[in-house]
Coordinates of all heavy atoms in Angstrom, one line a residue:
Chain A
Q9 N 115.3 83.8 80.8 CA 115.4 84.3 82.2 C 116.6 85.3 82.3 O 116.5 86.2 83.0 CB 115.5 83.1 83.2 CG 115.5 83.6 84.6 CD 115.6 82.4 85.6 OE1 115.7 81.3 85.2 NE2 115.6 82.7 86.9
Y10 N 117.6 84.9 81.6 CA 118.8 85.8 81.6 C 119.2 86.1 80.1 O 119.1 85.2 79.2 CB 120.0 85.1 82.3 CG 119.7 84.8 83.7 CD1 119.3 83.5 84.1 CD2 119.9 85.8 84.7 CE1 119.1 83.2 85.5 CE2 119.6 85.5 86.0 CZ 119.2 84.2 86.4 OH 119.0 84.0 87.7
N31 N 95.1 93.6 79.1 CA 96.2 94.5 78.8 C 97.5 93.9 79.3 O 97.5 92.9 80.0 CB 96.0 95.9 79.5 CG 96.1 95.8 81.0 OD1 97.2 95.7 81.6 ND2 95.0 95.8 81.6
Q33 N 101.5 95.0 80.6 CA 102.3 96.1 81.1 C 103.8 95.6 81.1 O 104.0 94.4 81.4 CB 101.9 96.6 82.4 CG 100.5 97.2 82.4 CD 100.0 97.7 83.8 OE1 100.9 97.9 84.7 NE2 98.7 97.9 84.0
Y35 N 107.5 96.5 83.0 CA 108.3 97.3 84.0 C 109.7 96.9 83.9 O 110.1 95.9 83.5 CB 107.8 96.8 85.4 CG 106.3 97.3 85.7 CD1 105.3 96.6 85.2 CD2 106.1 98.4 86.5 CE1 104.0 96.9 85.5 CE2 104.8 98.7 86.8 CZ 103.7 98.0 86.3 OH 102.4 98.4 86.6
Q37 N 113.2 96.9 86.4 CA 113.8 97.0 87.8 C 115.3 97.0 87.7 O 115.9 96.0 87.3 CB 113.2 95.9 88.6 CG 113.7 96.0 90.1 CD 113.1 94.8 90.9 OE1 112.7 93.8 90.4 NE2 113.0 95.0 92.2
G40 N 118.8 96.3 92.8 CA 118.6 97.0 94.1 C 117.5 98.0 94.1 O 117.2 98.6 95.1
G41 N 116.8 98.1 93.0 CA 115.7 99.1 92.9 C 114.4 98.5 92.9 O 114.2 97.4 93.3
H42 N 113.4 99.3 92.5 CA 112.0 98.9 92.5 C 111.5 98.9 91.1 O 112.1 99.6 90.2 CB 111.1 99.7 93.4 CG 111.1 101.2 93.0 ND1 112.1 102.1 93.4 CD2 110.2 101.9 92.3 CE1 111.8 103.3 92.9 NE2 110.7 103.2 92.2
P43 N 110.4 98.2 90.8 CA 109.9 98.2 89.4 C 109.4 99.6 89.0 O 108.7 100.2 89.8 CB 108.7 97.2 89.5 CG 109.1 96.3 90.7 CD 109.7 97.2 91.7
F45 N 107.3 101.5 85.9 CA 106.5 101.3 84.7 C 107.1 101.8 83.4 O 107.7 102.9 83.4 CB 105.1 102.0 85.0 CG 104.2 102.0 83.8 CD1 103.3 100.9 83.7 CD2 104.1 103.1 83.0 CE1 102.4 100.9 82.6 CE2 103.1 103.1 82.0 CZ 102.3 102.0 81.8
Q48 N 102.1 100.4 78.7 CA 101.0 99.5 78.7 C 100.4 99.3 77.3 O 100.3 100.3 76.5 CB 99.8 100.1 79.6 CG 98.6 99.2 79.6 CD 97.5 99.7 80.5 OE1 97.5 99.3 81.7 NE2 96.6 100.6 80.0
F88 N 110.2 93.1 83.5 CA 109.0 92.2 83.8 C 107.9 92.6 82.9 O 107.6 93.8 82.7 CB 108.6 92.5 85.2 CG 109.5 92.0 86.3 CD1 110.4 92.9 86.9 CD2 109.6 90.7 86.7 CE1 111.3 92.5 87.9 CE2 110.5 90.3 87.7 CZ 111.3 91.2 88.3
S92 N 96.8 91.6 83.0 CA 95.5 91.4 83.7 C 94.6 90.6 82.8 O 94.5 90.9 81.6 CB 94.9 92.7 84.0 OG 95.6 93.5 84.9
Y97 N 91.2 92.6 87.6 CA 92.1 93.8 87.9 C 93.5 93.3 88.2 O 94.4 94.1 88.2 CB 91.6 94.5 89.1 CG 91.4 93.6 90.3 CD1 92.4 93.3 91.1 CD2 90.2 93.1 90.5 CE1 92.3 92.4 92.1 CE2 90.0 92.2 91.6 CZ 91.1 91.8 92.4 OH 90.9 91.0 93.4
K98 N 93.7 92.0 88.6 CA 94.9 91.6 89.2 C 96.0 91.4 88.2 O 95.8 90.7 87.2 CB 94.7 90.3 90.0 CG 95.8 89.9 90.9 CD 95.4 88.9 91.9 CE 94.8 87.6 91.3 NZ 94.3 86.7 92.3
L99 N 97.1 92.1 88.5 CA 98.3 91.9 87.6 C 99.1 90.7 88.0 O 99.4 90.5 89.1 CB 99.2 93.1 87.7 CG 99.0 94.3 86.9 CD1 100.0 95.4 87.2 CD2 99.0 94.0 85.4
F101 N 102.6 88.9 87.3 CA 103.9 89.3 86.8 C 104.6 88.0 86.3 O 104.6 86.9 86.9 CB 104.8 89.9 87.9 CG 104.5 91.4 88.1 CD1 103.4 91.8 88.8 CD2 105.3 92.3 87.5 CE1 103.1 93.1 89.0 CE2 105.0 93.7 87.7 CZ 104.0 94.1 88.4
G102 N 105.4 88.2 85.2 CA 106.3 87.1 84.8 C 107.5 87.1 85.7 O 107.7 88.1 86.5
A103 N 108.4 86.1 85.6 CA 109.5 86.0 86.4 C 110.6 87.0 86.0 O 111.6 87.2 86.7 CB 110.1 84.6 86.4
Chain B
Y35 N 103.3 93.1 97.1 CA 104.0 92.0 96.4 C 105.2 91.6 97.2 O 105.8 92.3 97.9 CB 104.5 92.5 95.0 CG 103.4 92.9 94.1 CD1 102.9 94.2 94.0 CD2 102.9 92.0 93.1 CE1 101.9 94.6 93.1 CE2 101.9 92.4 92.2 CZ 101.4 93.7 92.3 OH 100.4 94.1 91.4
Q37 N 108.9 89.7 96.7 CA 110.0 89.3 95.7 C 111.1 88.6 96.4 O 111.8 89.2 97.2 CB 110.5 90.5 94.9 CG 111.4 90.2 93.8 CD 111.9 91.4 93.0 OE1 112.1 92.4 93.6 NE2 111.9 91.2 91.7
E40 N 116.2 86.8 92.9 CA 116.3 86.2 91.5 C 114.9 85.8 91.0 O 114.8 85.0 90.1 CB 117.2 85.0 91.5 CG 118.6 85.3 92.0 CD 119.4 86.2 91.1 OE1 119.3 86.0 89.9 OE2 120.1 87.1 91.6
G42 N 110.5 86.8 90.3 CA 109.6 87.9 90.0 C 108.8 88.3 91.2 O 109.0 87.9 92.3
L43 N 107.8 89.2 90.9 CA 106.9 89.7 91.9 C 105.7 88.8 92.1 O 105.0 88.5 91.1 CB 106.5 91.1 91.5 CG 107.6 92.1 91.5 CD1 107.3 93.2 90.4 CD2 107.8 92.8 92.8
F45 N 102.1 88.5 93.7 CA 100.9 89.2 94.3 C 100.6 88.6 95.7 O 100.5 87.4 95.8 CB 99.7 89.2 93.4 CG 98.5 89.6 94.0 CD1 98.2 91.0 94.0 CD2 97.5 88.7 94.5 CE1 97.0 91.4 94.6 CE2 96.4 89.1 95.0 CZ 96.1 90.5 95.1
Y48 N 95.4 92.8 97.7 CA 94.9 94.1 97.1 C 93.9 94.7 98.1 O 93.0 94.0 98.5 CB 94.3 93.8 95.8 CG 93.4 94.9 95.2 CD1 93.7 96.2 95.3 CD2 92.2 94.5 94.5 CE1 92.8 97.2 94.8 CE2 91.4 95.5 94.0 CZ 91.7 96.8 94.1 OH 90.9 97.7 93.6
I55 N 90.2 93.6 99.3 CA 89.5 93.2 98.1 C 89.9 91.7 97.7 O 89.1 90.9 97.3 CB 89.8 94.1 96.9 CG1 89.4 95.6 97.4 CG2 88.9 93.7 95.7 CD1 88.0 95.8 97.9
D56 N 91.2 91.5 97.8 CA 91.7 90.2 97.3 C 92.9 89.8 98.1 O 93.9 90.5 98.0 CB 92.0 90.2 95.8 CG 92.4 88.9 95.2 OD1 92.8 88.0 96.0 OD2 92.4 88.7 94.0
S58 N 94.2 86.6 98.0 CA 94.4 85.2 97.6 C 95.9 84.9 97.5 O 96.2 83.7 97.5 CB 93.8 85.0 96.2 OG 94.3 85.9 95.2
F91 N 107.2 94.8 98.2 CA 106.9 96.0 97.5 C 105.5 96.3 97.7 O 104.6 95.5 97.6 CB 107.3 95.9 96.1 CG 108.8 95.9 95.8 CD1 109.4 94.7 95.6 CD2 109.5 97.1 95.7 CE1 110.8 94.6 95.4 CE2 110.9 97.0 95.5 CZ 111.5 95.8 95.3
P98 N 91.4 100.6 89.8 CA 91.8 99.1 89.8 C 91.9 98.6 88.5 O 91.1 98.8 87.6 CB 90.6 98.5 90.6 CG 89.4 99.4 90.2 CD 90.0 100.8 90.1
G99 N 93.0 97.8 88.2 CA 93.1 97.0 87.0 C 93.5 97.8 85.8 O 93.6 97.2 84.7
G101 N 95.9 100.8 83.8 CA 97.0 101.8 84.0 C 98.1 101.2 84.9 O 98.0 100.2 85.4
E102 N 99.1 102.0 85.0 CA 100.3 101.6 85.7 C 100.1 101.5 87.2 O 99.2 102.2 87.7 CB 101.5 102.5 85.4 CG 101.3 103.9 85.9 CD 102.5 104.8 85.6 OE1 103.6 104.6 86.2 OE2 102.4 105.6 84.7
Q103 N 100.9 100.7 87.8 CA 101.0 100.7 89.2 C 102.3 101.4 89.6 O 103.3 101.1 89.0 CB 100.9 99.3 89.8 CG 99.6 98.6 89.6 CD 99.5 97.2 90.2 OE1 100.4 96.8 91.0 NE2 98.4 96.5 90.0
F105 N 105.2 101.8 92.1 CA 105.8 101.0 93.2 C 106.6 101.9 94.1 O 107.3 102.9 93.7 CB 106.7 100.0 92.6 CG 106.0 98.8 92.0 CD1 105.4 98.8 90.8 CD2 105.9 97.6 92.8 CE1 104.7 97.7 90.3 CE2 105.3 96.5 92.3 CZ 104.7 96.6 91.1
G106 N 106.6 101.5 95.4 CA 107.4 102.1 96.4 C 108.8 101.5 96.3 O 109.0 100.5 95.6
P107 N 109.8 102.0 97.1 CA 111.1 101.5 97.1 C 111.3 100.1 97.7 O 112.4 99.5 97.5 CB 111.9 102.5 97.9 CG 110.9 103.1 98.8 CD 109.6 103.1 98.0
R110 N 113.2 95.6 102.5 CA 114.0 94.4 102.5 C 114.0 93.8 103.9 O 114.6 94.3 104.8 CB 115.4 94.6 102.0 CG 115.5 94.5 100.5 CD 115.6 95.8 99.9 NE 115.7 95.7 98.4 CZ 115.1 96.5 97.5 NH1 114.3 97.5 98.0 NH2 115.3 96.3 96.3

Side-chain angles (χ1 to χ4, degrees):
Chain A
Q9 185 177 0
Y10 298 98
N31 67 79
Q33 300 177 16
Y35 292 79
Q37 184 177 24
H42 61 277
F45 176 82
Q48 176 175 270
F88 294 99
S92 297
Y97 53 82
K98 192 161 58 183
L99 273 181
F101 280 80
Chain B
Y35 295 88
Q37 185 176 41
E40 307 291 321
L43 295 148
F45 168 82
Y48 161 41
I55 306 302
D56 184 343
S58 59
F91 290 97
E102 67 180 285
Q103 292 186 6
F105 281 81
R110 270 103 180 141

